[in-house]
Amino acid sequence: MTKQLHLNLFVHGRGHHETAWRHPGSTPLALTDIRYYRELAEKAEAAAFDSIFFADALAVSDEIGHVAKGGLEPITILAAIAGATSRVGLIATASTTYTEPYNLARQFASLDHISNGRVGWNIVTSWVQGAGPNFGYDAQIEHAERYERATEFVEIAEKLWDSWADDAVLDDRANGRFADTGRIRKIGHRGRWKSVAGPLNISRSPQGRPVFVQAGSSATGRSFAARFAEAVFTAHLEKQTAADFYRDIKTQAAALGRDAERILVLPGISPTIGSTEEEARRLSRELDELSDPAVGLDRLSNRFGGHDFTGLDLDRVLSPDDFPDPRTVQAAQSRAASIVELVRRERPTLRALLHGLAGARGHFAVAGTPERIADIMEDWFRSGSADGFNVMPPILPLLFDTFVDEVLPILRRRGLFRTAYEGATLRDHFGLERPESQFFPPAATAQLRAAE
Amino acid sequence: MTKQLHLNLFVHGRGHHETAWRHPGSTPLALTDIRYYRELAEKAEAAAFDSIFFADALAVSDEIGHVAKGGLEPITILAAIAGATSRVGLIATASTTYTEPYNLARQFASLDHISNGRVGWNIVTSWVQGAGPNFGYDAQIEHAERYERATEFVEIAEKLWDSWADDAVLDDRANGRFADTGRIRKIGHRGRWKSVAGPLNISRSPQGRPVFVQAGSSATGRSFAARFAEAVFTAHLEKQTAADFYRDIKTQAAALGRDAERILVLPGISPTIGSTEEEARRLSRELDELSDPAVGLDRLSNRFGGHDFTGLDLDRVLSPDDFPDPRTVQAAQSRAASIVELVRRERPTLRALLHGLAGARGHFAVAGTPERIADIMEDWFRSGSADGFNVMPPILPLLFDTFVDEVLPILRRRGLFRTAYEGATLRDHFGLERPESQFFPPAATAQLRAAE
């Protein structure tokens, strides 16, 4: 089979445009109503998407006065929608900084059992400023330390998921042997940040462990992704930076001895789709005009570590000198850099920049016909900028429905996307191997069995 | 309406008898198969039970070689079964010792939204010895400190659940006001064990917060329950200790200014049901004979803080002198005491004691006809030993089906149990008030609105 696109539906509020929640095309349901998420999951599955994904932040957003926030918690969402679906992958964000590895490893193993092998974990270190103080810290833990902790955390979680051999549960009713305790072992981890004895208290799950997803884009974030990630979500405002990122991730992964085919790079794309270019642009303008410049300024400020932009005239053309050096930004460094790069290249007014960022928070936002969206996706895919896309509809469900009804058929006619699932697990959809247990590799198992 | 029984289905392995997993009447499904739990929840709902409950332990059991263990994680189970049910209450165990209050408060709020107000939290401090080392501690944190932490933890969680007024979300699309930020507030908790800034990042849930369930039975555990619990699960081997416990809990709750009607005492009952006494005893013997004395000895040892009983002859009559003083036991003190009391009264052999404990781990186990089971339940209820029961079928689903088919009709004929749900939330079933937010009481809200 020729290589095809991988598509993930990224669910965010009532759509990725910050004003989507006000638009009549967005869901009438509350963000705490599970039916909203279940219906999206059912639609993603009907469209044979690889997966559906829920982002997260461990603090209430300062924007909540004017932007729809405060939805359900991702792990409970996945468990709740697993029963309404049977094929689509289910990806939840969870933090390595503010959770216990034993609890997280266990909930993801439980989700992987509940969903019959469809779960992915978007590994984040929680960059939002408000998170630290909700977990006993005076302020946010700084970037480098968060990644050191993340590395140890993932190593612990992997050991926990590997602490049961696949064949540890015997369930031998006749002889009264439930498990082979020689096939379940302690992990005895004593590290810099955490000590965890193990074993985990749940058996190894259908996929061995969740698929690892990551979205780090700083130098540290990229090397973390190159080591651990099986899918990478990434934000680019243009194809060139996406291509650079793509090459960098694949090169770094290969340098670590990994198969570069087993780490999928999925840039975000936020398509406002109209039957004509004019209609698409009109819909886009409608959304922009609902936006509040004060919210945009706060958000821009957060992107640049709290820098104050309120002194700038909204209608003056910007220059890179209006921004602090992105290398000094602690949070999402590469997004800050790409904003400065865009300003250098396009010289927008502050108002126009804020409209652009209101669209998809630094991801690639485009308004156009279904043909044009499909062309862009094909171009990025064939030119080595993407293995697929993190599809971020500006309005949910409206613009996801439009994507499925009008863009997908074009991609399918071009042979770029599946018409039906071939496999059952998220690993199947992503073309990934099932990982072996580091403690109970199959070869050793086979030898053991042969010797019996 | 006259007062009626409250009934909770307690799910444990493939039934509460330790050998149930081997019995043909227990489920053929794996303990990691969500269908098993979903079917039990559907049956509990069809029977109009108040709730279904999942216990938990944060370490794999040493017994796993011979006893079915290692099932799904309770919070993910509740989320997964919520969509398959619409009335039955859903209660999960979660630990105050080894989780973060922000994460726990949020997941329970999310569950309460997902289930439309049907969630309860069984508050535990995690007594199993293996838990501490899975969370960075060299050993288990001792009993008194666990309860001090639990008290602060619940106070924090209550503040987080109260940090949004019920009317904080405006969702005013026309005017672009999503939330009234004056109706969402920080909690600013700085305590001995935890500091949590808040607010929570999810809106106040249908029940305000989950129903609080507790099962502590030491002196500390009882005073904790009297302060916080709205339902108490408790283990008694005879009616008299249940009656003492009942009176003690109600008296302590009233002394704290609480309405004693708003704290339900639900002793465990593990009924082996047969159409004749002889048939019930035969089924009970079948289960006992599948049990392994070594497993029973290990379990007894765990109940007495690791005391070694292996030197005792299985067929010698026991005396209280064979046991250490229960007051020296760190874990579940009152269960240890009730075992010694039973030995003093009945002078069983060690083998007979182990068979008894294999049945329901210190809860009241009885074999008899449906009439006899109903008589016992009515007697405990009318004599002030119970507001209802934690129903612990020895074999699942077999003996739950029998309970529903044969015992419930008798209880209903006697007017002791509902034939259909009258309310929609777990608070409705339990007859509990919805708690007001401590920060945004309705009276203040009404004044504020009137002044506008």
Side-chain angles (χ1 to χ4, degrees):
Chain A
M1 194 191 69
T2 54
K3 215 177 129 191
Q4 292 191 317
L5 288 169
H6 296 281
L7 296 180
N8 172 69
L9 170 59
F10 180 176
V11 178
H12 175 90
R14 288 185 181 133
H16 285 267
H17 197 287
E18 72 177 33
T19 67
W21 69 275
R22 303 178 59 185
H23 195 279
S26 71
T27 180
L29 299 176
L31 290 183
T32 47
D33 190 326
I34 190 65
R35 289 174 300 176
Y36 168 51
Y37 306 96
R38 194 161 53 214
E39 285 163 14
L40 289 173
E42 286 164 349
K43 286 179 176 187
E45 180 160 287
F49 261 50
D50 295 70
S51 48
I52 179 169
F53 159 62
F54 302 89
D56 197 33
L58 292 176
V60 76
S61 167
D62 291 337
E63 300 177 358
I64 194 163
H66 300 278
V67 183
K69 299 277 182 180
L72 298 171
E73 185 277 335
I75 287 174
T76 51
I77 295 178
L78 292 204
I81 65 182
T85 54
S86 64
R87 285 290 178 270
V88 68
L90 306 168
I91 302 174
T93 294
S95 170
T96 53
T97 307
Y98 303 117
T99 61
E100 286 290 340
Y102 198 88
N103 293 335
L104 180 137
R106 186 179 177 215
Q107 289 197 323
F108 271 95
S110 192
L111 287 174
D112 204 43
H113 281 293
I114 288 171
S115 66
N116 295 313
R118 294 185 286 133
V119 165
W121 171 27
N122 179 38
I123 306 168
V124 303
T125 69
S126 302
W127 65 270
V128 298
Q129 294 297 317
N134 288 329
F135 295 88
Y137 298 92
D138 284 336
Q140 178 61 290
I141 296 172
E142 61 88 35
H143 187 265
E145 181 182 321
R146 291 207 309 277
Y147 270 100
E148 286 172 31
R149 286 169 177 261
T151 300
E152 185 183 343
F153 190 112
V154 176
E155 288 167 353
I156 295 169
E158 287 184 322
K159 289 180 191 172
L160 287 169
W161 287 314
D162 291 348
S163 64
W164 292 49
D166 287 314
D167 57 4
V169 175
L170 307 169
D171 208 353
D172 177 353
R173 295 179 188 226
N175 297 300
R177 292 188 69 206
F178 184 72
D180 179 349
T181 53
R183 309 285 290 159
I184 302 172
R185 52 163 277 175
K186 288 188 182 296
I187 68 166
H189 178 90
R190 291 193 166 268
R192 176 158 176 207
W193 307 101
K194 297 278 181 190
S195 292
V196 179
L200 197 58
N201 55 355
I202 182 170
S203 60
R204 201 152 191 266
S205 71
Q207 293 188 116
R209 58 166 172 76
V211 170
F212 286 168
V213 179
Q214 226 270 332
S217 48
S218 64
T220 319
R222 289 178 188 214
S223 67
F224 184 91
R227 177 168 166 196
F228 292 111
E230 296 167 297
V232 181
F233 295 151
T234 181
H236 298 277
L237 294 170
E238 48 168 349
K239 186 176 81 172
Q240 189 52 52
T241 64
D244 295 344
F245 180 86
Y246 186 96
R247 198 165 38 248
D248 182 34
I249 288 286
K250 301 274 181 171
T251 307
Q252 286 197 47
L256 292 169
R258 296 185 60 195
D259 178 351
E261 296 281 307
R262 304 276 182 260
I263 174 167
L264 306 178
V265 176
L266 307 175
I269 184 167
S270 191
T272 305
I273 307 158
S275 49
T276 64
E277 293 286 330
E278 176 49 30
E279 189 189 309
R281 276 196 301 271
R282 192 170 56 237
L283 183 52
S284 188
R285 258 198 319 277
E286 265 175 46
L287 285 167
D288 284 347
E289 283 164 7
L290 288 170
S291 73
D292 179 340
V295 174
L297 282 170
D298 271 356
R299 182 173 291 180
L300 189 64
S301 170
N302 281 334
R303 287 272 170 231
F304 285 88
H307 184 84
D308 182 6
F309 294 97
T310 55
L312 300 178
D313 183 328
L314 281 169
D315 295 307
R316 180 169 73 70
V317 166
L318 293 167
S319 94
D321 300 336
D322 292 319
F323 295 82
D325 184 338
R327 286 167 300 183
T328 66
V329 172
Q330 277 292 329
Q333 288 184 359
S334 73
R335 293 203 203 176
S338 74
I339 292 168
V340 176
E341 180 51 34
L342 176 108
V343 166
R344 188 186 320 278
R345 200 174 61 243
E346 302 188 0
R347 304 300 303 268
T349 63
L350 181 55
R351 190 187 303 276
L353 178 70
L354 295 181
H355 282 170
L357 296 177
R361 305 179 315 286
H363 287 266
F364 182 72
V366 56
T369 60
E371 281 288 340
R372 177 146 174 255
I373 308 296
D375 288 348
I376 290 168
M377 293 174 77
E378 178 165 9
D379 177 34
W380 286 40
F381 179 59
R382 294 205 189 277
S383 67
S385 303
D387 296 309
F389 291 89
N390 198 12
V391 178
M392 304 167 58
I395 304 171
L396 283 168
L398 177 69
L399 286 171
F400 182 56
D401 293 340
T402 313
F403 184 89
V404 169
D405 293 343
E406 302 188 13
V407 180
L408 274 197
I410 300 170
L411 295 174
R412 285 182 171 134
R413 277 199 300 275
R414 298 180 188 178
L416 289 170
F417 192 61
R418 67 173 77 86
T419 51
Y421 293 109
E422 294 179 4
T425 70
L426 178 53
R427 292 189 178 280
D428 291 340
H429 309 332
F430 276 172
L432 302 168
E433 306 285 326
R434 183 174 189 273
E436 299 174 3
S437 165
Q438 63 192 291
F439 304 122
F440 303 103
T445 303
Q447 279 181 350
L448 194 78
R449 291 283 170 262
E452 269 175 5
Chain B
M1 194 192 70
T2 53
K3 215 177 128 194
Q4 292 192 317
L5 287 169
H6 296 282
L7 296 180
N8 171 68
L9 170 60
F10 179 176
V11 178
H12 174 89
R14 287 186 180 133
H16 286 268
H17 197 289
E18 73 176 33
T19 65
W21 69 274
R22 302 177 61 184
H23 194 278
S26 72
T27 180
L29 299 175
L31 290 182
T32 48
D33 190 325
I34 190 66
R35 290 174 299 175
Y36 168 52
Y37 305 97
R38 195 160 55 215
E39 286 163 15
L40 288 173
E42 287 164 350
K43 286 179 176 186
E45 180 159 286
F49 261 50
D50 294 70
S51 49
I52 180 170
F53 158 64
F54 301 89
D56 198 34
L58 292 175
V60 76
S61 166
D62 291 338
E63 299 177 358
I64 195 165
H66 299 280
V67 183
K69 299 277 181 180
L72 297 171
E73 186 276 334
I75 287 173
T76 51
I77 294 178
L78 292 204
I81 66 182
T85 53
S86 65
R87 284 294 178 267
V88 69
L90 307 168
I91 303 174
T93 295
S95 171
T96 53
T97 309
Y98 302 117
T99 61
E100 285 290 340
Y102 198 88
N103 293 335
L104 181 138
R106 185 180 180 216
Q107 289 197 324
F108 272 95
S110 192
L111 287 175
D112 203 44
H113 281 293
I114 289 172
S115 66
N116 295 311
R118 294 185 287 133
V119 165
W121 172 28
N122 179 39
I123 307 168
V124 301
T125 69
S126 302
W127 63 271
V128 299
Q129 294 298 317
N134 288 329
F135 295 88
Y137 298 91
D138 284 336
Q140 178 62 290
I141 296 173
E142 62 89 33
H143 186 266
E145 182 182 321
R146 291 207 311 276
Y147 270 100
E148 285 173 31
R149 287 170 176 260
T151 300
E152 186 182 343
F153 190 110
V154 175
E155 287 167 353
I156 296 169
E158 286 184 323
K159 289 180 191 173
L160 288 168
W161 287 314
D162 291 347
S163 66
W164 292 50
D166 286 313
D167 57 4
V169 176
L170 307 168
D171 208 354
D172 177 355
R173 295 179 188 227
N175 297 301
R177 293 188 69 207
F178 184 72
D180 179 348
T181 53
R183 308 283 291 158
I184 302 172
R185 52 164 277 175
K186 288 189 184 293
I187 67 164
H189 178 91
R190 288 192 170 269
R192 175 156 178 212
W193 306 103
K194 298 278 181 190
S195 294
V196 179
L200 198 58
N201 56 354
I202 180 168
S203 60
R204 202 151 190 269
S205 71
Q207 294 188 114
R209 57 168 173 75
V211 171
F212 287 168
V213 179
Q214 224 267 334
S217 48
S218 64
T220 320
R222 290 178 186 212
S223 65
F224 184 91
R227 177 167 168 197
F228 292 110
E230 295 167 298
V232 182
F233 294 152
T234 181
H236 296 279
L237 295 170
E238 49 168 348
K239 188 175 80 170
Q240 188 52 54
T241 64
D244 296 344
F245 180 86
Y246 186 95
R247 199 165 36 246
D248 182 36
I249 288 287
K250 300 274 179 170
T251 306
Q252 287 198 48
L256 293 169
R258 296 185 59 195
D259 177 353
E261 296 281 308
R262 303 275 183 262
I263 173 166
L264 307 177
V265 175
L266 308 174
I269 185 168
S270 192
T272 304
I273 307 158
S275 47
T276 62
E277 293 286 330
E278 174 49 32
E279 189 189 310
R281 275 197 301 272
R282 191 170 56 238
L283 183 52
S284 188
R285 256 195 324 272
E286 263 176 50
L287 286 166
D288 286 346
E289 282 163 9
L290 287 169
S291 73
D292 180 339
V295 173
L297 282 171
D298 271 358
R299 181 173 290 178
L300 189 64
S301 170
N302 282 333
R303 286 271 170 231
F304 285 87
H307 183 83
D308 183 5
F309 293 96
T310 54
L312 301 179
D313 183 329
L314 282 169
D315 295 306
R316 181 169 73 70
V317 168
L318 293 169
S319 94
D321 299 338
D322 292 320
F323 295 82
D325 185 339
R327 287 168 300 183
T328 64
V329 173
Q330 279 291 329
Q333 287 183 359
S334 73
R335 291 204 206 179
S338 74
I339 291 168
V340 175
E341 181 50 36
L342 175 108
V343 165
R344 189 185 320 279
R345 202 175 60 244
E346 301 188 1
R347 302 302 301 272
T349 63
L350 180 55
R351 189 187 306 275
L353 178 71
L354 296 181
H355 282 168
L357 296 176
R361 305 178 315 286
H363 287 265
F364 182 71
V366 55
T369 60
E371 282 288 340
R372 175 147 176 254
I373 307 296
D375 288 347
I376 291 169
M377 293 174 76
E378 179 166 8
D379 177 36
W380 286 41
F381 179 57
R382 295 206 189 276
S383 67
S385 304
D387 295 310
F389 291 89
N390 198 12
V391 178
M392 304 168 59
I395 304 171
L396 282 168
L398 176 69
L399 287 172
F400 182 56
D401 293 340
T402 312
F403 184 88
V404 169
D405 293 343
E406 303 189 11
V407 180
L408 273 197
I410 300 170
L411 295 173
R412 286 182 171 133
R413 276 199 302 273
R414 298 181 188 178
L416 290 169
F417 192 61
R418 69 173 74 85
T419 50
Y421 292 109
E422 294 180 4
T425 69
L426 179 53
R427 289 189 181 281
D428 292 340
H429 310 332
F430 276 171
L432 301 169
E433 306 286 326
R434 184 174 187 273
E436 299 175 1
S437 165
Q438 63 193 290
F439 304 122
F440 304 103
T445 304
Q447 279 182 349
L448 193 79
R449 290 284 169 262
E452 266 176 8

